[in-house]
Amino acid sequence: MDKATRLQYLEAMGIDVWATRHRLSAVQPEDPLENLGRAEQDEVHRDQPSNRRPSNLAETVDAEFQPHSPSHASHANEQTWKELQHEVALCRACSLCETRTQTVFGVGNKQASWMLIGEAPGQNEDLQGEPFVGKAGQLLTEMLRAIGLQREEVYIANMLKCRPPNNRDPQAEEVAACNSFLQQQIELIQPKIILAVGRIAAQNLLATQQPLAKLRGVRHQLHNIPLIVIHHPAYLLRSLLEKAKAWSDLQFALSVYQKLEK
Ligand code: URA
């Protein structure tokens, strides 16, 4: 009996067939630019000397992106993460706990060199419990890919862990109530570089009222960690013309990171 027929018989009898998993080594690496819009790809190529693709960071990051071997220290660290996440899930420090579906803690590589900090969960994030998963999140993922970073290798969090109703701006007391969670996340990860995603995150993290235009393109510091301000992808979705600026924000962040590595 051939294999396909045998599997059909087994399935009809309700018998699960277990198969060995294969490594995904045959999968070709994807082109980081293929999912960007045409105009955005054009920007990429215009900005690159001699139309080079931005591949150098991918290599640097891949080399760093090794799972750590289990040790007492990493178990203790895991425990600290679990406790922090639990504390966030139970938090009732501000009124946002009344309207949230769930808290949105943060996601990604806990040993990441790059940490991204956004403003607050939106509707999709509130429903799925993960930051930046809506349309803006997908664009953010593509923006990262364009500089050679996979979403899984960075750590992504928001200032607020709960969604403000109707996506209104966070209030100062909400930011204050949530701040220690974010600070603990930064301390645990100890990223080499932080990207503040959008004006609201940038202004709150840097404790300034300066407009985005003044904050972009400057190397700021947060707890001695370089912090770069980038456009919020939700804004970019509304304004295609701003995508060129977003690309230059990322190029700037990349150049700051590469200098750190030297
Ligand atoms: N905007 C943010 O700032 N964070 C999210 O998680 C989603 C949208």
Side-chain angles (χ1 to χ4, degrees):
M1 191 185 296
D2 67 292
K3 192 174 170 195
T5 315
R6 188 167 59 86
L7 287 174
Q8 273 177 10
Y9 272 89
L10 290 171
E11 193 185 345
M13 287 188 284
I15 297 171
D16 288 339
V17 179
W18 291 55
T20 48
R21 282 193 217 170
H22 296 285
R23 282 177 56 80
L24 295 173
S25 55
V27 175
Q28 293 298 313
E30 285 176 52
D31 180 343
L33 302 179
E34 76 183 353
N35 289 340
L36 290 183
R38 185 74 256 152
E40 207 167 5
Q41 287 197 24
D42 288 348
E43 291 303 337
V44 170
H45 290 289
R46 218 177 302 132
D47 279 7
Q48 293 290 311
S50 65
N51 283 358
R52 262 189 298 111
R53 298 259 167 133
S55 62
N56 40 1
L57 183 71
E59 288 151 20
T60 325
V61 172
D62 278 352
E64 283 174 2
F65 188 43
Q66 302 290 342
H68 287 204
S69 61
S71 67
H72 280 312
S74 67
H75 283 309
N77 213 288
E78 264 311 304
Q79 190 56 29
T80 311
W81 273 107
K82 265 195 194 146
E83 283 166 15
L84 181 59
Q85 186 155 4
H86 189 62
E87 206 185 322
V88 168
L90 299 179
C91 179
R92 305 197 66 80
C94 78
S95 63
L96 297 182
C97 67
E98 310 287 347
T99 47
R100 72 184 178 215
T101 304
Q102 59 190 312
T103 54
V104 179
F105 181 69
V107 72
N109 176 12
K110 291 173 182 141
Q111 280 107 33
S113 298
W114 293 67
M115 179 170 185
L116 281 77
I117 304 176
E119 175 183 330
Q123 186 178 26
N124 291 298
E125 290 75 21
D126 173 70
L127 292 172
Q128 294 182 45
E130 182 172 327
F132 286 105
V133 288
K135 275 222 167 85
Q138 285 163 20
L139 178 55
L140 184 67
T141 304
E142 293 313 319
M143 287 161 67
L144 289 172
R145 269 159 56 101
I147 56 164
L149 286 165
Q150 298 297 314
R151 184 179 164 99
E152 302 74 37
E153 4 182 328
V154 304
Y155 193 88
I156 307 178
N158 281 311
M159 280 186 325
L160 295 193
K161 310 304 184 208
C162 297
R163 180 193 181 202
N166 303 316
N167 298 347
R168 64 157 169 73
D169 286 354
Q171 290 169 358
E173 56 274 22
E174 294 160 355
V175 175
C178 233
N179 186 41
S180 94
F181 295 141
L182 179 64
Q183 298 309 322
Q184 287 177 75
Q185 287 175 306
I186 297 172
E187 216 166 283
L188 282 165
I189 295 166
Q190 298 189 4
K192 290 186 181 155
I193 187 165
I194 293 175
L195 301 188
V197 184
R199 175 182 64 84
I200 304 249
Q203 287 179 336
N204 279 284
L205 289 168
L206 297 169
T208 176
Q209 285 304 309
Q210 284 199 312
L212 186 70
K214 286 248 162 67
L215 297 171
R216 295 176 54 237
V218 177
R219 180 186 156 145
H220 306 272
Q221 294 270 114
L222 184 68
H223 312 309
N224 276 333
I225 302 167
L227 181 150
I228 307 300
V229 177
I230 66 169
H231 273 86
H232 196 288
Y235 175 67
L236 301 178
L237 285 173
R238 292 190 292 264
S239 164
L240 283 175
L241 286 176
E242 298 297 327
K243 284 193 179 168
K245 287 189 192 162
W247 179 241
S248 79
D249 291 344
L250 289 173
Q251 287 293 290
F252 179 62
L254 187 52
S255 73
V256 169
Y257 179 79
Q258 284 169 334
K259 278 188 200 129
L260 297 173
E261 293 295 282
K262 280 186 186 150

